[in-house]
């Protein structure tokens, strides 16, 4: 989930749950609170079912040039859907990705169709691939494709969208906070 995100009053906020459902709110539908208030629980804003948890969210407005929503599950399945498919979501939400038994949706991000995607697993595997290698599917009963093949006890712990053609550095941290000696240029 993004660490911080901002939105204009009329921007849309898409919430994705671990069960593969998407919910939508306008930014103005979330009540403004004071700096010392505790806020509002997300279950009071969305009609999520029992056992569902919001895993990620994205914000976008009319001026946003993103055209796709890219989704990743903990078992390494990825799916790219047109952003226009998420424009009219009912209050009860909609299925954004069909999940296999034991899988959960964990990451989402906006893309323009020309970027690279990086997936990282708990076991230390990573892959970078062109987003264009994943075809755009509709929402609903489609599962997506395998983004990374992982062992039975491994899971995806990170996904990021990287501008294609740019060199970036990847800093890796281990479980107990140790930093690796190397920086990888990706």
């Amino acid at each position: 989930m993004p660490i911080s995100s901002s939105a204009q009053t009329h921007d849309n906020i898409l919430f994705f749950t671990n069960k593969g459902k998407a919910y939508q709110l306008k930014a103005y539908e979330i009540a403004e609170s004071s700096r010392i208030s505790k806020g509002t629980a997300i279950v009071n804003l969305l009609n999520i079912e029992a056992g569902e948890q919001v895993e990620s969210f994205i914000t976008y407005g009319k001026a946003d040039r993103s055209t796709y929503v890219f989704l990743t599950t903990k078992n390494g399945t990825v799916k790219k859907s047109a952003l226009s498919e998420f424009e009219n979501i009912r209050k009860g939400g909609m299925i954004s990705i069909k999940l296999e038994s034991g899988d959960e949706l964990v990451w989402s991000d906006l893309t323009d169709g020309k970027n690279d995607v990086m997936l990282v697993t708990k076991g230390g595997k990573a892959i970078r691939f062109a987003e264009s290698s994943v075809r755009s599917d509709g929402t609903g009963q489609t599962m997506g494709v395998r983004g990374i093949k992982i062992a039975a006890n491994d899971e995806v712990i990170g996904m990021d969208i990287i501008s294609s053609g740019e060199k970036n550095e990847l800093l890796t941290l281990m479980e107990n906070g140790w930093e690796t000696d190397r920086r990888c240029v990706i």
Side-chain angles (χ1 to χ4, degrees):
M1 182 182 306
I3 293 173
S4 66
S5 186
S6 61
Q8 303 277 333
T9 305
H10 291 282
D11 286 356
N12 293 313
I13 305 173
L14 287 174
F15 296 91
F16 294 92
T17 68
N18 59 334
K19 303 291 184 188
K21 288 184 77 175
Y23 297 86
Q24 183 177 39
L25 287 176
K26 290 282 193 183
Y28 62 78
E29 293 177 315
I30 300 172
E32 190 174 341
S33 56
S34 70
R35 65 180 180 86
I36 58 171
S37 68
K38 292 183 180 181
T40 304
I42 196 72
V43 295
N44 295 333
L45 298 172
L46 304 174
N47 294 330
I48 61 176
E49 298 173 5
E52 271 188 303
Q53 296 176 345
V54 173
E55 291 291 334
S56 65
F57 69 94
I58 52 179
T59 61
Y60 68 96
K62 291 184 180 186
D64 201 325
R65 296 190 179 175
S66 300
T67 53
Y68 297 103
V69 175
F70 203 90
L71 306 171
T72 303
T73 70
K74 78 174 185 180
N75 289 344
T77 301
V78 296
K79 182 177 176 183
K80 181 171 75 171
S81 298
L83 182 59
S84 60
E85 304 250 353
F86 295 91
E87 287 181 354
N88 298 312
I89 299 177
R90 296 183 188 153
K91 288 287 183 190
M94 66 179 262
I95 298 171
S96 60
I97 184 172
K98 182 179 178 184
L99 298 171
E100 292 180 351
S101 178
D103 202 1
E104 294 182 358
L105 178 64
V106 289
W107 295 93
S108 65
D109 210 343
L110 291 174
T111 66
D112 63 6
K114 301 172 190 153
N115 296 315
D116 289 347
V117 177
M118 180 145 203
L119 302 177
V120 181
T121 71
K122 188 176 185 179
K125 288 178 78 174
I127 187 170
R128 179 179 179 170
F129 56 91
E131 175 193 345
S132 59
S133 64
V134 178
R135 76 182 195 305
S136 179
D137 285 334
T139 57
Q141 297 301 320
T142 56
M143 295 181 71
V145 297
R146 181 181 310 208
I148 188 170
K149 188 174 184 176
I150 58 175
N153 60 347
D154 203 1
E155 64 186 58
V156 173
I157 60 166
M159 177 196 84
D160 203 4
I161 304 299
I162 302 168
S163 296
S164 182
E166 290 184 16
K167 288 190 177 184
N168 298 283
E169 288 188 347
L170 174 66
L171 174 66
T172 55
L173 298 173
M174 296 188 294
E175 182 177 3
N176 295 321
W178 293 94
E179 174 186 345
T180 59
D181 295 6
R182 299 178 239 153
R183 287 190 181 192
C184 303
V185 176
I186 55 172

